[in-house]
C-alpha cells in the first residue's frame, strides 16, 4: 500500500495495519516457544538440574518481557537470579541483574533499574570479562538516558 507522506491519517492507518499483521505473526511463532519452554522447565525440575532450570527461567522471563507481561517476567528473572546467587555464579548474577533492570526500565521503575545495574557492575568477575562489562555499561547508559540524565549517560 502506497501512502502519500503528507497524508498523516493514511500513514497512521497503514502503520496500524502493518503492526496488526506483525503482531499476529509474532503470536503464531511465540506459542510453540511457550509450550516448549514450559515442558523444558518441568523436566529441569524433575531432573533437579538447577543450571538448566535457571537457563529456562531466564528464557521464559525474556519471552514474557517481549510479550509485555512484565510482572511475570520480573518474577521469573528473580527466580533465575536466586538460583545463580545460590550457585555463586557472578557472571550469571550480573546478567540476571541487567535483565531485571531492563524489565524494570520498561515498567518505568528507573531508580530501581539503576540500582540493579550498579549492583551488576560491582561484581568482581567483570574485571575478567570486558565483553560483559561493556554490555552492562551500555545498559547503565540506557537507564540514565531514560531518567533524563544525559551527562551521566555520556559518562558511561
Amino acid at each position: 500500500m502506497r501512502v502519500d507522506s503528507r497524508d498523516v491519517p493514511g500513514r497512521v492507518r497503514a502503520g496500524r495495519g502493518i503492526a496488526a499483521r506483525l503482531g499476529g505473526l509474532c503470536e503464531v511463532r511465540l506459542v510453540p516457544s511457550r509450550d516448549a519452554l514450559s515442558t523444558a522447565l518441568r523436566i529441569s525440575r524433575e531432573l533437579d538440574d538447577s543450571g538448566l532450570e535457571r537457563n529456562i527461567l531466564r528464557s521464559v522471563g525474556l519471552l514474557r518481557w517481549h510479550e509485555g507481561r512484565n510482572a511475570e517476567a520480573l518474577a521469573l528473572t528473580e527466580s533465575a537470579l536466586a538460583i545463580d546467587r545460590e550457585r555463586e555464579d557472578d557472571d550469571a548474577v550480573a546478567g540476571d541483574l541487567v535483565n531485571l533492570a531492563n524489565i524494570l526500565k520498561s515498567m518505568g521503575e528507573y531508580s530501581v533499574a539503576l540500582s540493579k545495574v550498579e549492583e551488576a557492575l560491582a561484581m568482581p568477575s567483570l574485571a575478567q570479562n570486558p565483553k560483559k562489562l561493556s554490555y552492562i555499561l551500555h545498559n547503565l547508559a540506557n537507564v540514565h538516558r531514560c531518567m533524563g540524565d544525559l551527562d551521566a549517560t555520556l559518562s558511561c
Side-chain angles (χ1 to χ4, degrees):
M1 168 199 294
R2 183 98 174 124
V3 178
D4 184 334
S5 64
R6 294 165 293 187
D7 178 13
V8 174
R11 289 178 26 216
V12 169
R13 280 191 305 278
R16 286 183 181 150
I18 292 168
R21 286 191 297 281
L22 288 176
L25 178 63
C26 289
E27 183 61 28
V28 168
R29 290 185 177 169
L30 290 177
V31 169
S33 298
R34 276 189 226 126
D35 294 344
L37 288 169
S38 294
T39 300
L41 184 58
R42 179 183 49 78
I43 292 169
S44 73
R45 289 176 173 160
E46 288 171 2
L47 295 173
D48 197 30
D49 185 336
S50 65
L52 179 60
E53 181 180 1
R54 175 266 324 264
N55 288 339
I56 296 165
L57 287 167
R58 187 180 294 142
S59 294
V60 176
L62 291 173
L63 178 63
R64 295 296 180 263
W65 178 50
H66 287 288
E67 293 174 323
R69 296 163 63 178
N70 292 328
E72 292 175 62
L74 200 59
L76 289 159
T77 306
E78 286 171 340
S79 295
L81 174 62
I83 291 170
D84 287 331
R85 287 191 194 279
E86 184 177 303
R87 293 168 57 98
E88 298 179 358
D89 185 341
D90 288 351
D91 278 346
V93 167
D96 293 332
L97 289 166
V98 171
N99 288 341
L100 283 173
N102 285 322
I103 296 164
L104 291 160
K105 186 176 64 165
S106 70
M107 297 170 74
E109 298 287 337
Y110 304 124
S111 61
V112 182
L114 181 60
S115 71
K116 298 297 180 190
V117 176
E118 288 172 340
E119 184 180 349
L121 282 170
M123 302 303 289
S125 66
L126 289 180
Q128 313 308 317
N129 194 339
K131 194 174 191 179
K132 183 161 275 201
L133 177 60
S134 66
Y135 172 74
I136 294 170
L137 288 170
H138 170 81
N139 281 278
L140 177 64
N142 281 332
V143 173
H144 282 302
R145 181 184 48 81
C146 287
M147 296 175 81
D149 189 347
L150 297 181
D151 289 334
T153 302
L154 296 172
S155 71
C156 293

